[in-house]
């Protein structure tokens, strides 16, 4: 990595620095290699550490860098292809080759916005299923799936009250429902502590939050809030309106 001082440029200094660093990542570093510390990088480029942090944060957001616990800032691998289907009559992650792995299930009141979407009382308990999505052997998303009891009426009362087995049974019952459709929103967010731990990110790291409302029998059957690693995934919108989370340099889908 060179030591050329940055000259006056029309764009913000951190943005120009981001471009310089991006070119250096392509030519001077390998995937997984650890970058020099912030003090050394700031000295090399003659910028304040605050400016350097802005550039590094932007490169992390774009998927070029990863900040890993106990390691530091490393060069990120190419983004993985993870399909986020908008098929109107399918449950996310259903069928053979299931990519969502159930982690746990508990009964609790849903957040106010979710309770409103489900049309349940603020104190009413719902099933909260936690799942991890794995693609190419890497955890790329953590999901909370909120399911009211009315959506899974055949769920056994003597079934295990929590854990991954309970989560699988609830998802299996959901697949019995005939969906009328779904709507989805995507926004940029920051990783909460529990999501960050499961996705091997630092708390506050940029993430993509995909919220899906599943519609059945004239109402909302379930609400999914899935947190995707922003450094691993990017969104593309096709002519059909489908949303995919795609590979950094090629279109590729994973089950």
């Amino acid at each position: 990595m060179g030591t050329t001082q940055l000259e006056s440029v029309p764009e913000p200094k951190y943005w120009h620095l981001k471009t310089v660093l991006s070119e250096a990542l392509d030519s001077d570093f390998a995937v997984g290699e650890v970058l020099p510390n912030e003090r050394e990088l700031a000295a090399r480029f003659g910028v304040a550490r605050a400016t350097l942090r802005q550039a590094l944060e932007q490169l992390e957001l774009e998927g070029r860098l990863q900040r890993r616990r106990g390691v530091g800032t490393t060069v990120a691998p190419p983004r993985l292809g993870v399909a986020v289907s908008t098929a109107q009559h399918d449950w996310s992650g259903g069928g053979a080759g299931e990519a969502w792995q159930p982690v746990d299930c508990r009964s609790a009141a849903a957040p106010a916005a979710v309770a409103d979407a489900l049309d349940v009382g603020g104190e009413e308990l719902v099933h909260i299923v936690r799942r991890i999505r794995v693609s190419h052997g890497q955890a790329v998303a953590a999901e909370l799936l909120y399911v009211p009891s009315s959506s899974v009426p055949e769920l056994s009362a003597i079934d295990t009250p929590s854990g991954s087995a309970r989560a699988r049974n609830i998802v299996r019952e959901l697949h019995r429902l005939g969906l009328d459709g779904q709507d989805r929103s995507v926004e940029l967010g920051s990783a909460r502590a529990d999501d960050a731990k499961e996705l091997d990110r630092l708390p506050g790291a940029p993430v993509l939050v995909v919220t899906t409302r599943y519609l059945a029998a004239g109402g909302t059957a379930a609400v999914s809030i899935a947190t995707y690693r922003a450094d691993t995934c990017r969104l593309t919108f096709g002519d059909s309106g489908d949303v995919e989370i795609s590979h950094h340099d090629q279109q590729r889908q994973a089950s």
Side-chain angles (χ1 to χ4, degrees), residues 38-60:
E38 288 186 359
R39 179 177 299 176
E40 182 178 345
L41 287 174
R44 287 188 183 187
F45 289 97
V47 298
R49 292 178 68 176
T51 300
L52 175 68
R53 288 193 189 103
Q54 285 183 292
L56 294 177
E57 287 171 0
Q58 187 64 36
L59 287 169
E60 182 184 12

Side-chain angles (χ1 to χ4, degrees), residues 61-104:
L61 184 61
E62 293 178 4
R64 300 303 312 278
L65 297 176
Q66 294 179 345
R67 283 185 286 181
R68 301 170 57 192
R69 291 185 182 87
V71 176
T73 301
T74 64
V75 180
R79 288 172 169 165
L80 300 173
V82 185
V84 181
S85 172
T86 55
Q88 291 298 297
H89 303 286
D90 237 347
W91 286 97
S92 174
E98 173 62 74
W100 287 102
Q101 299 179 358
V103 175
D104 197 7

Side-chain angles (χ1 to χ4, degrees), residues 8-142:
S8 176
V9 289
E11 68 255 346
K13 183 173 288 189
Y14 85 88
W15 194 262
H16 181 62
L17 176 59
K18 177 190 77 76
T19 302
V20 174
L21 286 170
S22 183
E23 293 173 353
L25 295 179
D26 291 333
S27 60
D28 299 340
F29 290 89
V31 169
E33 189 170 349
V34 180
L35 266 63
N37 61 44
E38 288 186 359
R39 179 177 299 176
E40 182 178 345
L41 287 174
R44 287 188 183 187
F45 289 97
V47 298
R49 292 178 68 176
T51 300
L52 175 68
R53 288 193 189 103
Q54 285 183 292
L56 294 177
E57 287 171 0
Q58 187 64 36
L59 287 169
E60 182 184 12
L61 184 61
E62 293 178 4
R64 300 303 312 278
L65 297 176
Q66 294 179 345
R67 283 185 286 181
R68 301 170 57 192
R69 291 185 182 87
V71 176
T73 301
T74 64
V75 180
R79 288 172 169 165
L80 300 173
V82 185
V84 181
S85 172
T86 55
Q88 291 298 297
H89 303 286
D90 237 347
W91 286 97
S92 174
E98 173 62 74
W100 287 102
Q101 299 179 358
V103 175
D104 197 7
C105 177
R106 59 189 175 91
S107 294
V114 175
D116 288 344
L118 293 173
D119 195 22
V120 300
E123 301 300 320
E124 183 175 339
L125 300 183
V126 300
H127 304 291
I128 304 178
V129 175
R130 187 164 188 85
R131 301 191 295 177
I132 300 297
R133 185 162 189 175
V134 177
S135 180
H136 304 282
Q138 178 182 359
V140 296

